[in-house]
Amino acid sequence: MNIAALYHRSDSEFAYLYSPDKFHIRLRTAKDDIREVSLVNGDPYRLWGEWHIDLFNEKLPMKIIASTDANDYWMVEMSAKHKRLHYSFLIVGNDGKEMFFCEKGVYPVRKPYISNHNYYFRFPYLHEIDMIKTPDWVRNTVWYQIFPERYRNGDVSNDPVGTLVWNSKEPKLNDFFGGDLQGIIDKLGHIKSLGFNGIYLCPIFKSPSNHKYDTTDYFEIDPAFGTKETLKKLVNECHKHGIKVMLDAVFNHIGDSSEQWRDIVKNGTASKYASWFHIKEFPVSYAETDIVGVADLTYDSFAFTHHMPKLNTANPEVQEYLLSVARFWIEECEIDAWRLDVANEVDHHFWKRFRKEITDLKNEIFILGEIWQSPQSWLRGDEIHAVMNYSLTEAILEYFIRGNISASEMITTMNRQFMLYAQQTNEVMLNLLDSHDTPRLMTVANGNGELVKSVLAFMFLQTGSPCIYYGTEIGMFGGEEPGCRGCMEWDENKWDKDMYSFIASLVAFRRKYSDIISFSNTKWETDDERNIIKLEKEHNGSILVGIFNNGTADLKIAFETPLLSSETRIEKNNTVIGAGGFYIGINNF
């Protein structure tokens, strides 16, 4: 038995309240090393005196819920009704050895270890208030991300000076095409017809740029996008159709044309905003360097972008200002979620305040962070609910699109990520394959529409809340920024109609089978030589099956009626999955 591989930590993603009456306990072991694990548990006060005898007999079997190339992860879901909990693990290795794993270490299965309650892991009391809480509606939401300036021009009267004819050229960094909120309102029927029930908008507040990540005034809608009334109308119309709305909050930095920064430039150390920023020396200045995109600054900024000075969120005045912004749009327009730009560069103290302020105001608000690295320290239940799941994105693209890793390596990466978080956190992660910050999926796939379908279907089967970037449904192309921010094509003669139908079917499938996908563990099988993946998800008497044939030869499976498939055909009561195709079906038992 590989004792060094045994790992557990109380009050973490290895032991947590999943719901007020359910408690999850996980254990990590070496892969294929352990035959059996039982959780020894009990309430120490209920078992006072000869408590250890009963405690030792109160055993719950644990099951493997995920595996990587190095580890197996075991879990048991148990009742939390007793509120107090002492527990340890009885482990039987494939070598026949039996060990007792507890807070003090690993011991043979005998007294005095099992009879001393001080050896046990413990939760003195399970407080519901400490439970990681996530909004229930998110796990059932399929998001549609919109870059507003490029979606549709619904009101030409608010077009900026120099606005170009819609879709008349490839987008450049500083182009304007006139997209606005009215354009989104006009095309809600398109979004609704595809089945999306969540819209994620890139920033819409006052700003001189087309992307609006250099905010000038957080309390005003950019005039080129509309007014507060336009946003209210958009949110109201969305809510009528059961669609949630998520706005983008850029609180890490502000635009250099903002009142605050202009005052800094004018008054220097005498400015009332002097402590609102991270300024190294006055007067503030910047100079270009020999390195493209990097400036020599006397202040901190987003990256080295001189026109995006970084806010000092440790300053109480800055905190109050930003919190008032967050509260304002919830109260004014009844938005449903905030996406937090560059969330990993803002201090934890501020995000804790942010979480409490806005959840006190609206309990079911969703808080999503943009964090590209492992976000564990932000996902402990007192800051954000979830992140844009770029770790999952990379694993899927590395296998399906780039071919840099095997199927088993992809699953190792995915499972390692899933095991970093509590189950309720995994259920609301925003899963995506492209966005306004990355090349479009069709471009990355070199125009292979069937591959795009397969990759999207695979992503939609993963635990979390899936997101489609606008234009994916019609087969839009676009390279690195700003290429990925092209104008939405509204000439239906130029649409990939097959992709449109597929996306609509995919969204409908995901919403119908949301519970199976969200609440079940995934059983994986891979054949790296033939490049085949099979997954099964079981929940409430149903098994959802997905098979992905990424090899070069056809794959035959027993005849089933698919819920969703690509590159498949029927031959002699068998379903044949062609190279690059997939099959998704369901079995009831």
Side-chain angles (χ1 to χ4, degrees):
M1 183 187 298
N2 186 348
I3 291 175
L6 298 178
Y7 184 78
H8 176 82
R9 191 172 78 255
S10 289
D11 197 15
S12 72
E13 71 276 10
F14 281 85
Y16 58 91
L17 272 175
Y18 174 67
S19 66
D21 60 347
K22 293 179 181 177
F23 193 75
H24 286 182
I25 294 181
R26 296 172 178 170
L27 173 70
R28 190 193 72 190
T29 67
K31 185 175 176 62
D32 298 330
D33 185 49
I34 302 302
R35 181 195 311 164
E36 178 183 322
V37 178
S38 298
L39 184 80
V40 183
N41 71 96
D43 182 331
Y45 294 101
R46 186 168 57 89
L47 301 168
W48 198 264
E50 291 297 312
W51 69 279
H52 58 274
I53 297 173
D54 292 329
L55 187 65
F56 185 68
N57 289 328
E58 192 172 332
K59 296 187 291 185
L60 294 174
M62 301 183 71
K63 294 182 179 179
I64 295 176
I65 59 164
S67 295
T68 68
D69 55 354
N71 297 109
D72 290 325
Y73 292 84
W74 304 69
M75 194 191 86
V76 64
E77 181 177 271
M78 59 185 299
S79 170
K81 65 181 179 180
H82 294 308
K83 300 301 181 185
R84 293 178 296 266
L85 183 66
H86 282 202
Y87 64 95
S88 288
F89 305 93
L90 289 180
I91 302 172
V92 181
N94 286 330
D95 58 5
K97 290 183 179 178
E98 296 183 70
M99 303 300 290
F100 177 71
F101 178 40
C102 59
E103 191 172 69
K104 304 297 184 186
V106 183
Y107 301 92
V109 182
R110 65 173 186 267
K111 294 182 179 180
Y113 318 116
I114 63 172
S115 60
N116 187 337
H117 67 91
N118 289 318
Y119 276 67
Y120 284 66
F121 295 103
R122 65 195 68 192
F123 268 82
Y125 196 86
L126 304 178
H127 291 278
E128 184 179 342
I129 195 172
D130 291 330
M131 183 180 77
I132 295 174
K133 299 177 181 67
T134 56
D136 288 336
W137 58 268
V138 178
R139 66 173 66 90
N140 300 314
T141 300
V142 183
W143 296 95
Y144 186 73
Q145 184 192 354
I146 296 175
F147 190 82
E149 214 283 324
R150 305 292 159 77
Y151 195 62
R152 186 176 187 273
N153 189 344
D155 183 358
V156 296
S157 69
N158 62 19
D159 287 358
V161 174
T163 294
L164 301 168
V165 174
W166 192 258
N167 224 356
S168 58
K169 62 187 286 290
E170 289 297 313
K172 301 297 182 184
L173 287 172
N174 300 315
D175 288 340
F176 289 90
F177 290 92
D180 50 34
L181 296 181
Q182 185 59 50
I184 299 172
I185 294 170
D186 294 343
K187 289 300 181 179
L188 279 180
H190 172 79
I191 297 169
K192 186 172 180 288
S193 70
L194 288 160
F196 292 101
N197 57 344
I199 293 176
Y200 153 33
L201 297 176
C202 288
I204 59 173
F205 305 127
K206 191 174 181 180
S207 155
S209 67
N210 56 40
H211 54 73
K212 311 302 176 192
Y213 283 98
D214 50 349
T215 310
T216 299
D217 187 342
Y218 293 94
F219 290 98
E220 294 295 335
I221 303 298
D222 191 274
F225 284 173
T227 65
K228 291 185 182 75
E229 293 307 313
T230 321
L231 179 60
K232 286 180 183 178
K233 181 180 178 183
L234 172 60
V235 175
N236 288 338
E237 288 299 312
C238 284
H239 287 173
K240 285 180 185 177
H241 297 293
I243 299 171
K244 304 287 189 180
V245 178
M246 176 161 60
L247 298 187
D248 208 328
V250 189
F251 291 167
N252 174 68
H253 51 271
I254 198 169
D256 64 353
S257 57
S258 63
E259 170 197 346
Q260 294 88 343
W261 189 252
R262 284 188 286 110
D263 195 86
I264 289 282
V265 173
K266 179 181 178 181
N267 298 311
T269 56
S271 171
K272 62 181 179 179
Y273 301 113
S275 62
W276 276 46
F277 301 90
H278 297 269
I279 298 173
K280 302 168 188 175
E281 63 181 77
F282 289 91
V284 293
S285 65
Y286 66 91
E288 301 297 334
T289 68
D290 294 334
I291 304 174
V292 176
V294 175
D296 185 11
L297 307 169
T298 61
Y299 53 91
D300 290 343
S301 67
F302 168 66
F304 292 96
T305 310
H306 69 267
H307 63 277
M308 295 183 184
K310 181 177 174 62
L311 289 162
N312 177 16
T313 49
N315 183 320
E317 291 180 359
V318 175
Q319 292 176 21
E320 291 303 326
Y321 174 71
L322 297 178
L323 291 171
S324 66
V325 171
R327 291 191 300 264
F328 178 81
W329 293 106
I330 296 171
E331 294 174 325
E332 186 78 6
C333 295
E334 299 182 4
I335 64 166
D336 306 287
W338 279 112
R339 182 262 190 186
L340 308 175
D341 188 58
V342 202
N344 56 331
E345 294 191 24
V346 175
D347 62 89
H348 291 287
H349 178 82
F350 175 73
W351 287 141
K352 287 176 169 61
R353 280 203 66 191
F354 180 88
R355 165 72 170 251
K356 186 174 189 316
E357 289 267 351
I358 71 167
T359 54
D360 283 351
L361 182 62
K362 187 171 185 175
N363 185 52
E364 283 295 296
I365 196 87
F366 176 48
I367 308 170
L368 177 74
E370 182 204 19
I371 300 177
W372 291 61
Q373 83 266 21
S374 178
Q376 277 184 296
S377 58
W378 288 270
L379 294 171
R380 293 171 177 161
D382 57 353
E383 296 186 42
I384 60 181
H385 291 115
V387 298
M388 300 178 76
N389 202 356
Y390 282 113
S391 295
L392 180 70
T393 305
E394 278 303 299
I396 294 174
L397 295 183
E398 279 289 278
Y399 169 66
F400 278 93
I401 303 290
R402 302 179 190 126
N404 290 334
I405 60 175
S406 66
S408 57
E409 287 172 328
M410 175 187 67
I411 291 164
T412 279
T413 302
M414 290 168 53
N415 280 345
R416 188 178 290 122
Q417 287 297 314
F418 285 137
M419 290 297 101
L420 291 177
Y421 321 113
Q423 175 65 17
Q424 59 264 45
T425 299
N426 284 323
E427 290 167 4
V428 297
M429 287 288 207
L430 188 126
N431 296 339
L432 70 166
L433 293 171
D434 55 2
S435 73
H436 66 291
D437 284 329
T438 70
R440 285 184 172 272
L441 183 58
M442 187 64 85
T443 295
V444 175
N446 295 316
N448 186 337
E450 294 306 312
L451 176 58
V452 167
K453 290 179 187 177
S454 189
V455 177
L456 285 169
F458 184 84
M459 188 263 280
F460 268 59
L461 283 173
Q462 308 313 312
T463 303
S465 184
C467 181
I468 293 285
Y469 188 39
Y470 80 95
T472 300
E473 73 273 21
I474 58 169
M476 277 181 62
F477 288 78
E480 296 281 357
E481 177 193 338
C484 55
R485 300 173 179 179
C487 294
M488 176 67 177
E489 178 59 71
W490 290 111
D491 181 352
E492 295 188 22
N493 293 319
K494 298 179 180 180
W495 286 9
D496 182 336
K497 301 287 182 63
D498 181 56
M499 186 64 71
Y500 181 93
S501 298
F502 174 77
I503 294 291
S505 298
L506 184 62
V507 173
F509 158 79
R510 182 56 174 76
R511 291 183 61 182
K512 182 175 181 179
Y513 294 99
S514 175
D515 282 359
I516 299 178
I517 295 169
S518 295
F519 299 137
S520 60
N521 295 312
T522 304
K523 178 182 176 182
W524 296 96
E525 294 180 33
T526 60
D527 183 334
D528 286 343
E529 185 175 339
R530 293 192 297 163
N531 226 355
I532 295 167
I533 303 172
K534 180 181 179 182
L535 64 88
E536 291 185 359
K537 287 175 170 284
E538 180 184 331
H539 180 68
N540 283 351
S542 296
I543 298 178
L544 188 66
V545 179
I547 301 173
F548 294 80
N549 179 14
N550 300 301
T552 57
D554 289 348
L555 174 66
K556 288 186 179 181
I557 62 173
F559 176 74
E560 298 284 354
T561 302
L563 298 171
L564 207 64
S565 65
S566 175
E567 295 292 291
T568 60
R569 63 186 187 274
I570 304 300
E571 287 183 3
K572 298 179 180 179
N573 293 330
N574 286 310
T575 295
V576 179
I577 307 174
F582 73 90
Y583 163 93
I584 299 175
I586 195 163
N587 296 320
N588 295 305
F589 63 92

